Amino acid sequence: MREENIPMSTVIYNIVIDAQARVGAMQEISELVAAMAGDGVAPDNITHSTVVKGYCTNGDLDRAFELLRNMQMDCVPTDSVYNTILDGCTRHNRFDLADLVLEEMERNKVTPTNFTLGTLVNMYGRRGQLELAFRSVEEIPRKHGFALDSRVKASLICACLKSRAVDRALEVFEELRQSGEVADG
């Protein structure tokens, strides 16, 4: 793009960085971030969260968490940054860091979303902590004023099945079916 004299902006850089993050190409991302500085283009929250996504894709969660800490000095990370790291921790079984992310979210008053809750349910299912999954599903939406979506309920069914709690999975499935929602996730 630069060779064709296309003016570079934060948006264009973010699009290219996102493409690299999806495949975990961290060397290319580092070069792009350096090029941004060279072009006088400032990274934004989207840039940082996309770089975090790249580290999570690669399983380099310590670096993702380090970047989160650095972001906190410059700006307030959005819930999507925390959710990305939390999801990465769950996918790569880094529950030690997941616990730290949850503490950070609470300390920084980051409001959880259905995505956060679904990730927590998946994490607790992997940990074999089904009661924590159910407690989270009960308490978090009530505390933060949102309704569960069908994806969270589908995650809860999966967590039940992982824990061999078939009866509980069927109860959640029946609630989902009776509500008329479609588990689309």
Side-chain angles (χ1 to χ4, degrees):
M1 287 189 207
R2 289 157 104 201
E3 293 167 2
E4 297 176 20
N5 291 323
I6 296 174
M8 298 299 287
S9 67
T10 305
V11 172
I12 291 173
Y13 270 111
N14 286 346
I15 290 167
V16 178
I17 290 170
D18 184 62
Q20 298 300 326
R22 290 175 186 272
V23 296
M26 295 314 297
Q27 180 61 40
E28 289 80 356
I29 290 173
S30 294
E31 292 169 10
L32 287 163
V33 171
M36 285 178 86
D39 287 344
V41 176
D44 61 10
N45 236 339
I46 294 170
T47 311
H48 294 301
S49 80
T50 305
V51 175
V52 165
K53 179 170 53 175
Y55 285 127
C56 290
T57 299
N58 264 4
D60 193 350
L61 296 153
D62 292 310
R63 289 289 301 270
F65 197 75
E66 180 183 323
L67 183 56
L68 172 66
R69 294 264 193 222
N70 291 338
M71 286 176 68
Q72 290 169 333
M73 289 185 265
D74 298 330
C75 61
V76 178
T78 62
D79 63 282
S80 66
V81 174
Y82 288 99
N83 286 335
T84 298
I85 297 175
L86 189 60
D87 185 56
C89 291
T90 300
R91 290 178 187 275
H92 294 283
N93 297 315
R94 286 295 309 274
F95 303 131
D96 58 321
L97 282 180
D99 291 337
L100 291 175
V101 172
L102 290 172
E103 289 171 16
E104 290 283 323
M105 288 179 78
E106 191 158 320
R107 184 174 29 259
N108 293 312
K109 296 178 176 50
V110 176
T111 303
T113 63
N114 270 302
F115 186 88
T116 312
L117 188 54
T119 302
L120 286 176
V121 168
N122 289 333
M123 180 180 72
Y124 292 137
R126 284 183 179 208
R127 285 177 155 178
Q129 297 175 314
L130 190 57
E131 292 310 315
L132 276 176
F134 272 94
R135 188 176 330 139
S136 296
V137 165
E138 289 292 319
E139 294 175 1
I140 291 174
R142 183 176 53 241
K143 180 178 178 182
H144 296 283
F146 66 90
L148 292 179
D149 67 12
S150 60
R151 291 178 192 210
V152 173
K153 292 175 185 177
S155 294
L156 191 56
I157 291 168
C158 290
C160 289
L161 294 174
K162 283 179 188 167
S163 297
R164 293 186 163 90
V166 176
D167 290 344
R168 291 183 89 178
L170 289 172
E171 288 172 17
V172 175
F173 175 76
E174 187 58 30
E175 289 172 21
L176 182 62
R177 190 180 69 74
Q178 286 186 5
S179 73
E181 292 181 79
V182 177
D184 57 1

